Amino acid sequence: MYRDTIAAISTPLGEGGIGIVRLSGADALSIARATFPGKFSDRQLIYGHVVDPQTGERVDEVLVSYMAAPHTYTREDVVEINCHGGPLPLQRILQLALRHGARLAQPGEFTLRAFLNGRIDLAQAESVLDVVRARTEASLRMAVQGLDGRLSSAIRELREPLLSALAYLTARIDFPEDEILSQDVAQPLNKALRALRDLIATADAGMVYRFGVKTAIVGRPNVGKSSLLNRLLREDRSIVTPVPGTTRDTIEEVANLGGVPFVLVDTAGIIRSKDLVESLGVERSRRAVEQADLVLVMIDVSQPITDADRDIVALTANKATLVVANKCDLPQQANPGELGREAVYTSALSGDGLRHLEEKMVELALGGKIVVSDAPMVNNPRHKDALERAAESLDQAARDLDAGVPDDFVTIHLTASLNALGEITGETVQEDLLETIFANFCIGK
């Protein structure tokens, strides 16, 4: 299957200045020559027209680049046809490539071939998708570090002493009669275990940067929820009027606060209502609270605390929550301390207190941890799971070694730890896992 020549549109669908059809495989150049009568040179951009050989019709004016293996993204011959970025020319050129022997690429197949051909490891391949989906400068920087192999290097450094220890213990098992030079195994195992735990400790913050923090903004009608959303986004995304109940559905947008992507959900005011539309909006607000990682409960401090405010806070019993004491620019009649949650005073109208609120949100999201930008960081649930299994097996191996358990049992746990680490970079990965990982990619990547 992976010896076929594949083709796909590698730019987003829709109208744009430029669109790219990419081919990869042994027949990429011959397929391109069938529809493009120009003279190809390695790593040069050639101007001309794609022509349908059956009709002689010019399909589009293009620039074509040919890159010879192995110095390409996939380590195969690659051709990229740069045409006008409309759906019709892209589809016509793709269909011509398929007609002349190419196969439509599967999701992520170009990157999968880069992995299978040894240009990148599996952790780097997954970082490609992180680069594409990055929503803040910080998450992009972290994704590029993964693509550069920062995590992969850390994993390799962990594996080397474990492989050495495993080789030594295996030799003692296989050649009990021979004199084998004594080697300290406990020290490298314990050192690797500490390094593993340090790496695992970065995972919670890393995944915040990668996936963002789903944040529900809830409260009674007309307390300033939509105004706060607009302030955090630095744009007028949500309609704001003095009329209570303007927002009747949830509105979701992403805000970059301190490098952390917050997925903000502006909700309908939570009230008891016989109006069908309002009732549906309130139910969606309750679901938004259930699904949120962080909840901002807004109250109007220019009015006394109400039973409705208390009921809304009660919905957040098991959630990370901040009370946003809004309208602090008006005479205060409420004591937010009555609600038993940390409160931040703001004015969504003037912007007072907004910076402090953003700082508190980032602090809650990252658990007070400061991210060291140059250190490898785990931002993938699959990697975290593999590291935790590796640490568990390694801890058992170290304890068995300390207790004088026979080497056979120590090597079992040591091998399990190495296999778990190999799942991250791809040395011990199964084919069904590869299919799952690359199914999340777009077809042209």
Side-chain angles (χ1 to χ4, degrees), residues 420-437:
L421 291 174
E423 290 177 18
I424 297 173
T425 50
E427 283 92 341
T428 56
V429 73
Q430 301 296 319
E431 186 174 345
D432 56 346
L433 179 58
L434 290 179
E435 292 176 359
T436 300
I437 290 170

Side-chain angles (χ1 to χ4, degrees), residues 186-242:
Q187 192 270 340
L189 260 59
N190 287 311
K191 183 179 178 181
L193 184 58
R194 288 193 297 271
L196 261 176
R197 287 170 174 164
D198 288 343
L199 205 51
I200 293 167
T202 69
D204 290 342
M207 284 188 278
V208 164
Y209 279 105
R210 184 187 188 202
F211 296 110
V213 183
K214 192 149 191 178
T215 306
I217 306 174
V218 298
R220 291 185 290 112
N222 212 34
V223 294
K225 298 184 295 299
S226 297
S227 297
L228 178 65
L229 176 77
N230 292 340
R231 278 284 182 181
L232 293 172
L233 293 173
R234 273 67 170 176
E235 63 174 290
D236 290 336
R237 171 63 181 85
S238 196
I239 297 173
V240 177
T241 75

